[in-house]
Amino acid sequence: MSIPAIAVHGGAGKWNVSEDVKKKALTVLRRAVDVAYDILVRGGSSLDAVVEAIAILEDSEIFNAGVGSVLNAVGEVEMDAGLCTSDGVVGAVCCVKYPRNPIKLAREVALKTDHVLLCGSNADKLARALGLDPHPGPSQRVLEKFRELRSRIDSVSYWRKLRDVLPLIERGGTVGAVAVDKQGILAAGASTGGVWLKLPGRVGDSPILGAGFYSSSRAAASATGLGETIVKALATLRVVNYVDHGLSVEEACRKVVGRHSKVFGRGTIGIIAVDYRGTVVAVHNTEYMPVAWRTSEKSFASFKGIQL
Ligand code: ASP
């Protein structure tokens, strides 16, 4: 019998928001770990714990995932999500518009199809066919932010101006979870609306195995940050490999985030990880990464993990 543990994050970034929003974000993260921990102590699977935790964050509207997803350059929601377990379950979806909870569709891909990744309108068709809840459309907050960002961009010199505008855009708010259950099975998952004003069709790290999420029988990791850099680094695969070769989860995350800062600069990544003993860690090179976790020893929630 293993000792269960669950950790969630709400996205690495600047989190330039009011104290009120920060408070709400931590409250939702705490609720997500409480619900997931309850699943684990009652003997449920780490896969279900991760999915239920992420679904709560997707439903909250506060994070850049599910209902709160940011918009692409033409004002559409296009979401990515993925998950895996240490016993071989892998499922992911990218560029989906229909589901309220892309993480639930990722689980359906893993458990009900022979595939690991479905994209776009055909993944949406599956979500409809399986009776998953539909996305309600972008919230007022998201629409206002989109109008503000778009108003700064002249359509003729789009790319040059977009480059100027990008530093002003607050990335962050993607969600992820990692867990280990009583059977010693580990799971990792990630869900995101991607990055503001992305080109339609852009896919980030969150639905890519080894980039946004990964697990072995010793450790599971979930990443957030600038997706293109995380895909190039295969960040979660590296974390898990380091643990498989004897490093602690903290040493592994520090090593991967430290290297990421050197190669891609600071402000680019955050990772949460858990090992098979239930040790949890959160490391980021951004200003903030709200996290919460529950283990047999500790219940924790903070706007920062270990900041490098
Ligand atoms: N990693 C996500 C993406 O690039 C965004 C984020 O984590 O903030 O799609």
Side-chain angles (χ1 to χ4, degrees):
M1 275 284 186
S2 286
I3 301 167
I6 171 86
V8 299
H9 74 76
K14 284 194 180 139
W15 276 93
N16 197 4
V17 294
S18 67
E19 284 308 309
D20 189 45
V21 174
K22 282 189 181 170
K23 224 161 130 186
K24 278 188 192 142
L26 280 187
T27 304
V28 179
L29 288 168
R30 268 197 207 100
R31 189 154 58 80
V33 285
D34 285 348
V35 169
Y37 195 70
D38 200 48
I39 292 172
L40 294 169
V41 291
R42 286 192 283 114
S45 70
S46 54
L47 177 66
D48 286 344
V50 160
V51 170
E52 293 313 316
I54 290 180
I56 287 171
L57 305 177
E58 289 175 333
D59 282 339
S60 74
E61 285 187 39
I62 289 179
F63 302 101
N64 171 20
V67 178
S69 292
V70 304
L71 304 182
N72 67 16
V74 296
E76 296 166 338
V77 165
E78 277 189 331
M79 301 167 288
D80 301 334
L83 49 77
C84 68
T85 69
S86 56
D87 61 348
V89 171
V90 182
V93 293
C94 60
C95 287
V96 291
K97 297 185 166 122
Y98 175 80
R100 179 182 178 93
N101 298 110
I103 198 69
K104 291 190 178 173
L105 184 55
R107 178 172 56 185
E108 299 287 40
V109 170
L111 301 181
K112 296 195 176 147
T113 80
D114 295 307
H115 310 303
V116 296
L117 174 61
L118 289 186
C119 72
S121 57
N122 286 309
D124 283 330
K125 262 187 210 157
L126 180 70
R128 269 194 206 93
L130 292 170
L132 295 193
D133 289 340
H135 193 285
S139 67
Q140 202 50 36
R141 180 183 62 82
V142 168
L143 281 172
E144 276 164 23
K145 184 87 187 168
F146 176 71
R147 286 190 200 112
E148 182 205 325
L149 293 171
R150 274 300 297 258
S151 70
R152 300 182 206 228
I153 297 171
D154 178 284
S155 59
V156 180
S157 52
Y158 183 85
W159 284 114
R160 187 171 54 77
K161 295 223 170 165
L162 183 60
R163 215 176 4 237
D164 294 342
V165 105
L166 274 176
L168 306 173
I169 297 171
E170 295 130 34
R171 227 175 348 87
T174 287
V175 303
V178 290
V180 54
D181 62 29
K182 282 186 174 173
Q183 284 67 44
I185 306 295
L186 293 99
S191 179
T192 188
V195 290
W196 275 111
L197 304 181
K198 63 187 178 180
L199 279 181
R202 179 264 191 189
V203 177
D205 58 302
S206 307
I208 308 293
L209 184 70
F213 61 96
Y214 198 71
S215 177
S216 72
S217 56
R218 298 183 76 84
S222 178
T224 165
L226 190 53
E228 283 73 6
T229 69
I230 297 168
V231 171
K232 286 177 183 170
L234 287 176
T236 55
L237 174 70
R238 278 176 197 270
V239 166
V240 169
N241 273 346
Y242 283 136
V243 178
D244 287 347
H245 286 92
L247 262 56
S248 71
V249 271
E250 183 176 331
E251 287 165 345
C253 287
R254 281 180 179 273
K255 201 163 168 158
V256 170
V257 173
R259 176 183 177 270
H260 213 82
S261 298
K262 281 198 188 109
V263 177
F264 303 106
R266 299 195 70 248
T268 49
I269 194 168
I271 300 177
I272 55 170
V274 65
D275 71 10
Y276 65 100
R277 297 190 209 91
T279 309
V280 170
V281 69
V283 181
H284 52 103
N285 68 7
T286 50
E287 226 164 307
Y288 295 107
M289 181 172 75
V291 290
W293 64 69
R294 275 192 72 174
T295 66
S296 59
E297 284 156 14
K298 202 169 167 185
S299 174
F300 177 83
S302 165
F303 240 75
K304 283 186 177 182
I306 298 170
Q307 188 191 21
L308 295 187

